[in-house]
Amino acid sequence: MKRREVIKGLGLLPLSGAMMGNLLTAEKAWSAPKSKKVKRDLFDELGVTRVINAGVTMTFLSGSLMMPEVMEAINSTSHDFANMYELQDKVGAKMAEMLQVEAAMVTSGAACALLLGTAACITGKDAEKIKIIPNWPGARPEVIMQKSHRYLFDQAITTCGAKIIEIEGPDEMEKAFNNNTVMALFFNAAGNSSVSREDFVALCKKHNIPSFIDAAADVPPVENLFKYQKMGFDMVTFSGGKMIRGPQSAGLLFGRKDLIEAAKLNHSPHEAPIGRPMKVNKEEIFGMYAALKSYLERDHKKEWNDWLSRIERIRKKAEQVKSVKGETNVNPGPANAFPSLYLTWDQEVVKMTANDVQSALQKGTPSIVANVGNKDGNKVLNVGVVLLRPDQVEVVANRVKEILQQAI
Ligand SMILES: *Cc1c(COP(=O)(O)O)cnc(C)c1O
């Protein structure tokens, strides 16, 4: 494919300027579509509302905005066929090298990784088991989890026909291992843990049972992409569509080679195994690779400082309204560990609650989604900045000021 033809093929896409690979700076990575270049506006054509995300990455708000490098990877690879086995293997090998781990693969998201990792622990490479999962004739396979770690996404485990065995504390965990145990899952962002990560890994190793950690939303910091395999977890997952800014329908599963190979056997392009309904396409696999590479190469300190300066801009504008006070809040993580702006005001002066302002922002034009946070037991308006395009910082600042001002 000649460069000229690629350019022609990209003409309809709003990010085409940025896609040509010469603009990798943080500011330009977020550049707004140049409206005069857009020939067809699918939001308008279909009457779909554009949303400004002044919150965090949320699946219902389409995750993140993919980096231009990711869109470039998607577009530039869309003109040729590839053997999907080869693609998954080669991208996996490269990502494993980047993550300093034995093996890696691209899944259709972290939830898919949870399912495939569990399936891998149950079936190994046994073709018969891969064929019948989750319809086990005998005792159900067991997965150990801490009681306080139970969460929405653990249905990916029971989908494999496994049973979750809840434990509290290292002693109960020790006693839970038996012949049916296939895996133990650690929810990294759980509020509290009765077994530490270190003890969890040690107990799993002692009983020769694979340990899996779900760290889906747990970058930044970038170091977390290396931390858990170093700690000894056998499998790790991260979402593609959160702060890594890859396709939201992609994710990473990485760790022990035998397990990742077994996970692949339970996935597309193999026909009919449990993971087949969670297919990942060629472009997303290339896109996920490009996203990971870009994330690892990013200047994270510069990005963090940029977020702080965005907060300052919005805070200064909002504080022009009588009684309004802003402060930087840094979420301690592990999930969503980045700064945002907390805004409070005297409700005798500005006669609105934080929920009222949130609702007005969302219903307004443009529609802005912010959150309501909690500070010392009081509700505060929580304005997120990490997902704003540079041109949207001013838009959000102006709308927040306008709404508060009108309530005086
Ligand atoms: C977002 C999230 C998931 C699901 O990830 P997807 O990539 O959307 O499938 C799973 N676990 C945790 C802790 C998450 O935050």
Side-chain angles (χ1 to χ4, degrees):
M1 172 81 34
K2 290 203 186 75
R3 188 172 161 88
R4 194 169 4 98
E5 291 171 83
V6 178
I7 294 170
K8 213 161 58 185
L10 294 173
L12 296 179
L13 291 151
L15 281 168
S16 59
M19 266 176 241
M20 299 330 295
N22 53 346
L23 327 157
L24 298 181
T25 63
E27 279 293 306
K28 284 185 175 157
W30 289 93
S31 58
K34 302 272 184 299
S35 53
K36 61 178 183 300
K37 281 193 194 159
V38 179
K39 295 199 179 87
R40 185 180 181 187
D41 186 328
L42 287 161
F43 276 91
D44 282 358
E45 185 172 322
L46 295 162
V48 176
T49 310
R50 283 188 162 82
V51 178
I52 293 180
N53 188 348
V56 296
T57 56
M58 285 176 283
T59 292
F60 93 96
L61 272 188
S62 63
S64 195
L65 295 182
M66 287 184 271
M67 290 294 287
E69 298 92 300
V70 177
M71 289 311 300
E72 188 188 3
I74 288 172
N75 284 291
S76 66
T77 57
S78 68
H79 310 280
D80 293 287
F81 291 92
N83 177 313
M84 294 297 284
Y85 296 108
E86 182 194 6
L87 177 62
Q88 185 68 276
D89 285 349
K90 295 227 164 116
V91 164
K94 188 72 194 166
M95 293 194 314
E97 197 184 302
M98 290 153 73
L99 294 166
Q100 300 163 19
V101 71
E102 280 179 23
M105 69 181 291
V106 179
T107 65
S108 67
C112 170
L114 289 172
L115 180 138
L116 291 180
T118 309
C121 292
I122 299 174
T123 66
K125 292 182 183 170
D126 185 326
E128 201 47 42
K129 287 184 178 167
I130 290 168
K131 206 164 140 193
I132 66 166
I133 184 177
N135 303 305
W136 308 115
R140 285 167 71 189
E142 295 180 5
V143 171
I144 296 173
M145 279 185 82
Q146 302 184 46
K147 205 174 206 165
S148 60
H149 285 209
R150 293 298 309 273
Y151 63 147
L152 278 174
F153 293 107
D154 65 33
Q155 189 141 359
I157 281 103
T158 49
T159 303
C160 294
K163 191 159 76 177
I164 293 170
I165 306 298
E166 291 181 2
I167 57 102
E168 245 179 306
D171 293 345
E172 264 185 45
M173 182 161 173
E174 173 81 59
K175 287 188 200 119
F177 291 97
N178 66 60
N179 288 337
N180 296 324
T181 310
V182 293
M183 190 182 94
L185 176 67
F186 197 103
F187 169 27
N188 198 42
N192 60 78
S193 299
S194 57
V195 185
S196 69
R197 291 174 188 82
E198 289 79 6
D199 288 348
F200 198 86
V201 166
L203 278 165
C204 286
K205 288 207 188 303
K206 179 176 166 194
H207 292 272
N208 202 21
I209 292 297
S211 53
F212 190 155
I213 189 163
D214 175 359
D218 303 350
V219 286
V222 62
E223 291 79 24
N224 281 0
L225 281 166
F226 305 92
K227 186 173 175 180
Y228 305 111
Q229 60 271 41
K230 280 188 191 140
M231 223 177 233
F233 280 96
D234 296 304
M235 282 186 288
V236 186
T237 182
F238 282 89
S239 288
K242 291 176 183 165
M243 293 301 280
I244 297 176
R245 290 181 62 193
Q248 103 136 330
S249 47
L252 298 171
L253 174 63
F254 55 87
R256 235 168 71 187
K257 193 168 172 69
D258 61 321
L259 294 173
I260 303 304
E261 287 307 315
K264 284 185 198 169
L265 294 174
N266 279 288
H267 198 213
S268 171
H270 293 278
E271 293 188 353
I274 190 162
R276 178 60 185 245
M278 290 150 239
K279 184 190 273 187
V280 190
N281 67 11
K282 172 185 95 231
E283 288 78 6
E284 285 169 307
I285 294 181
F286 279 117
M288 191 64 236
Y289 160 70
L292 179 64
K293 189 166 176 351
S294 151
Y295 190 73
L296 292 174
E297 289 170 357
R298 199 165 309 165
D299 184 340
H300 295 276
K301 197 165 162 52
K302 185 162 174 280
E303 186 176 59
W304 189 275
N305 288 334
D306 178 47
W307 293 337
L308 294 179
S309 70
R310 290 168 172 216
I311 287 171
E312 275 310 286
R313 279 167 67 192
I314 302 173
R315 183 182 67 78
K316 284 204 178 110
K317 187 137 271 176
E319 284 183 349
Q320 289 169 10
V321 181
K322 201 176 157 199
S323 88
V324 173
K325 291 261 166 300
E327 69 175 279
T328 303
N329 166 64
V330 179
N331 188 334
N336 303 321
F338 40 73
S340 65
L341 171 66
Y342 273 2
L343 287 176
T344 53
W345 52 90
D346 181 348
Q347 288 186 16
E348 301 284 316
V349 180
V350 178
K351 296 181 184 63
M352 274 180 118
T353 64
N355 287 93
D356 293 338
V357 179
Q358 179 196 35
S359 166
L361 282 166
Q362 182 164 8
K363 288 188 192 131
T365 306
S367 177
I368 299 169
V369 173
N371 285 314
V372 171
N374 191 310
K375 188 185 170 242
D376 311 324
N378 296 313
K379 285 186 170 180
V380 297
L381 186 68
N382 187 2
V383 183
V385 298
V386 303
L387 299 172
L388 300 178
R389 297 192 320 242
D391 61 298
Q392 292 174 335
V393 178
E394 206 60 25
V395 176
V396 170
N398 288 334
R399 279 296 292 152
V400 168
K401 180 185 165 185
E402 191 174 45
I403 290 166
L404 292 168
Q405 190 70 57
Q406 280 168 2
I408 287 190

